[in-house]
Amino acid sequence: MAATLQHTHAFRRPFTASGNKQIRIAAVSKTRLQAAFQPGAEQQQARSLVDSATADAGLSRRQLMQAAAGLLAAAGLAVPVQPARALLDTPAGYTTRVDKLDGYSFVYPEQWAPVTSSGNDIFLRNPFNVDQNLFVDISSPSSSRYASVEDLGSPDAAAARILDKYLNKEFMSTRIGIRREGNIVSAASRKADDGRVYYDIEVRMASYASRSPYVATQGEVMRDYGIEWDRRFLTTLGVANKRLYELRMQTGSSTYEQDKPVLDLIRDSFRVVEVEE
């Protein structure tokens, strides 16, 4: 299944503090810096101190926290790692994918394998079902300025655009004797526990091919045709960082009912988050 939204994956160098900036960072007490990594009553106060230190050092909070972690480790102080909520809620038999650079996460069956040649941000497939896979596509930050997924219009309007894209771009065929059909199965809006609105869209697509190699019209195709494939395409849309995120899954229509619990779990776990620069 081809991706259509332009995707960028920027390379980001690790931050290294040096010179006066490192001296300024060191001026923040180790106890306070350590507290900034901890949950609890002192966290907000500590992070306020970190924010003021970022202004003095000319750094972003993200850079200061990375440098502070290194200083604390060098001083022999523990820097606790706080697992993401999704990690705490990962069901048995599933793995959590957390992309901190691009700002999204979801869970997926642990036996699903990555496909590194797809060109997508992440592409996973079920090695036991060739029709079943998923990927995440993210719009380019230079060409999108989304405030909310509702900028797309209603769920029905977003679904209509997806169906049009499938019929007239992704699955359009110029082969003689081929016909593609599709319909919107469902389109809904939901507010997740992160307070964001997501659109869940399901489309059914089928491809038909004529049994005769000499047909000239679509009417002849449909009088004597055979089905090539019949699939369900599930898309979840979310917005963060002014970008549109698409979690896209597919499976065969013949196995959809038995696959649905897994696909629903993946879909419901999908979250997008703001990324601190």
Side-chain angles (χ1 to χ4, degrees):
M1 183 165 57
T4 58
L5 288 178
Q6 182 183 358
H7 163 257
T8 59
H9 189 75
F11 176 77
R12 302 178 184 178
R13 295 188 180 89
F15 171 74
T16 303
S18 59
N20 291 335
K21 289 182 178 180
Q22 189 164 6
I23 294 172
R24 290 176 185 271
I25 293 169
V28 182
S29 76
K30 295 174 183 176
T31 301
R32 292 287 185 161
L33 281 172
Q34 191 176 31
F37 288 90
Q38 296 276 8
E42 296 186 4
Q43 185 184 51
Q44 190 58 46
Q45 180 182 0
R47 290 198 174 184
S48 296
L49 182 59
V50 167
D51 285 339
S52 64
T54 64
D56 292 341
L59 306 173
S60 70
R61 179 194 284 184
R62 189 178 194 182
Q63 290 173 326
L64 183 70
M65 297 297 268
Q66 289 172 338
L71 292 174
L72 289 171
L77 295 173
V79 181
V81 177
Q82 299 302 322
R85 183 166 183 246
L87 290 175
L88 297 176
D89 297 340
T90 304
Y94 285 76
T95 297
T96 297
R97 162 81 178 186
V98 178
D99 190 320
K100 295 181 180 179
L101 291 179
D102 286 316
Y104 67 86
S105 65
F106 62 91
V107 303
Y108 64 92
E110 60 188 11
Q111 74 269 24
W112 284 29
V115 178
T116 57
S117 58
S118 72
N120 300 104
D121 198 65
I122 178 69
F123 190 109
L124 299 164
R125 65 180 181 85
N126 183 350
F128 306 106
N129 183 340
V130 295
D131 287 332
Q132 200 171 76
N133 59 55
L134 70 78
F135 67 85
V136 173
D137 205 14
I138 312 171
S139 64
S140 168
S142 63
S143 61
S144 59
R145 290 292 183 270
Y146 294 98
S148 164
V149 71
E150 293 168 318
D151 289 350
L152 299 172
S154 68
D156 289 334
R161 280 195 291 271
I162 288 175
L163 178 60
D164 179 71
K165 179 171 60 178
Y166 287 163
L167 290 172
N168 298 311
K169 292 182 181 179
E170 293 193 22
F171 299 111
M172 184 177 68
S173 176
T174 57
R175 290 159 52 201
I176 295 175
I178 298 297
R179 181 182 179 90
R180 301 278 162 77
E181 293 186 345
N183 66 281
I184 298 168
V185 177
S186 64
S189 171
R190 63 182 166 87
K191 191 171 185 178
D193 56 6
D194 60 355
R196 295 183 187 274
V197 175
Y198 295 84
Y199 285 178
D200 296 318
I201 295 164
E202 182 181 336
V203 170
R204 184 172 184 171
M205 290 287 298
S207 177
Y208 302 93
S210 173
R211 295 188 178 94
S212 171
Y214 304 109
V215 297
T217 68
Q218 289 294 347
E220 290 175 308
V221 171
M222 297 312 291
R223 282 197 298 270
D224 183 25
Y225 69 89
I227 190 163
E228 288 189 305
W229 49 261
D230 184 356
R231 298 173 188 153
R232 298 291 184 98
F233 295 89
L234 291 79
T235 302
T236 292
L237 304 171
V239 166
N241 307 296
K242 299 181 180 179
R243 304 171 74 182
L244 178 65
Y245 293 71
E246 286 188 273
L247 171 68
R248 294 176 56 178
M249 300 180 285
Q250 76 166 39
T251 195
S253 292
S254 62
T255 62
Y256 174 72
E257 289 305 323
Q258 68 187 59
D259 298 335
K260 191 175 185 300
V262 172
L263 300 176
D264 285 349
L265 195 156
I266 297 170
R267 178 200 64 198
D268 292 344
S269 72
F270 185 60
R271 297 290 184 274
V272 296
V273 298
E274 297 297 324
V275 176
E276 261 189 63
E277 296 296 340

